[in-house]
């Protein structure tokens, strides 16, 4: 596991650049997003450099999502939000703009004006069967 001297989230996670820190332990720093979707929008950052979910060290991903769960519960208790979105983007096409793995934890409030859900599509039973097999066989 390495840290990338040119990566802004490596610098923030390791305290080389100041941030509004919610929580910190040996492996992660949770900060507030600079351009929050809603009040309290937080990011879970590993202190080591992983570009995205594909190259996460085994075990790290689970602990990152456990941390996101703790943050979500704290938002429910502390901010009285009415919902929480946990979102994690991989690659530019999927909306990743900072190429250091992070999990968004976004508290949701009534009439917050945000739309972070997808438009539901239609499924074809045959195609679904094939897709399930294709993904399953690649695991
Ligand atoms: P993503 O598009 O999933 O890669 O998310 C990147 C997030 O990082 C965006 O929501 C940005 O607002 C946020 N961000 C970028 N730079 C900073 C920074 N210096 N401090 C806090 N959040 C940042
Ligand atoms: Zn990094």
């Amino acid at each position: 596991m390495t840290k990338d001297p040119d990566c802004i989230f490596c610098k923030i996670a390791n305290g080389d650049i100041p941030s509004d820190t919610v929580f910190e332990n040996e492996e992660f720093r949770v900060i507030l997003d600079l351009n929050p979707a809603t009040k309290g929008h937080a990011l879970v950052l590993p202190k080591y450099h992983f570009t995205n979910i594909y190259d996460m060290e085994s075990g790290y991903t689970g602990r990152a999502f456990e941390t996101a769960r703790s943050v979500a519960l704290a938002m429910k208790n502390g901010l009285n939000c009415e919902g929480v979105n946990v979102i994690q983007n991989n690659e530019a096409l999927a909306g990743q703009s900072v190429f250091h793995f992070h999990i968004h934890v976004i508290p949701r409030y009534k009439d917050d004006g945000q739309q972070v859900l997808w438009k539901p599509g239609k499924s074809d039973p045959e195609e679904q069967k094939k897709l399930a097999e294709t993904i399953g066989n690649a695991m």
Side-chain angles (χ1 to χ4, degrees), residues 1-15:
M1 293 193 296
T2 55
K3 294 169 187 175
D4 178 347
D6 298 324
C7 169
I8 185 158
F9 278 6
C10 277
K11 288 182 190 158
I12 292 174
N14 290 284

Side-chain angles (χ1 to χ4, degrees), residues 96-108:
Q96 186 175 12
S97 61
V98 179
F99 296 92
H100 172 122
F101 174 95
H102 52 279
I103 302 173
H104 296 262
V105 190
I106 305 175
R108 300 301 303 275

Side-chain angles (χ1 to χ4, degrees), residues 8-9 12 17-19 31-37 41 43 87-90 94-100 102 104:
I8 185 158
F9 278 6
I12 292 174
I17 293 179
S19 62
I31 64 164
L32 291 186
D33 196 293
L34 199 59
N35 308 108
H41 179 169
L43 301 171
I87 297 170
Q88 198 277 311
N89 301 323
N90 300 285
Q96 186 175 12
S97 61
V98 179
F99 296 92
H100 172 122
H102 52 279
H104 296 262

Side-chain angles (χ1 to χ4, degrees), residues 25-42:
N25 66 13
E26 265 189 14
E27 293 187 307
F28 303 102
R29 181 186 295 266
V30 180
I31 64 164
L32 291 186
D33 196 293
L34 199 59
N35 308 108
T38 64
K39 288 189 190 306
H41 179 169

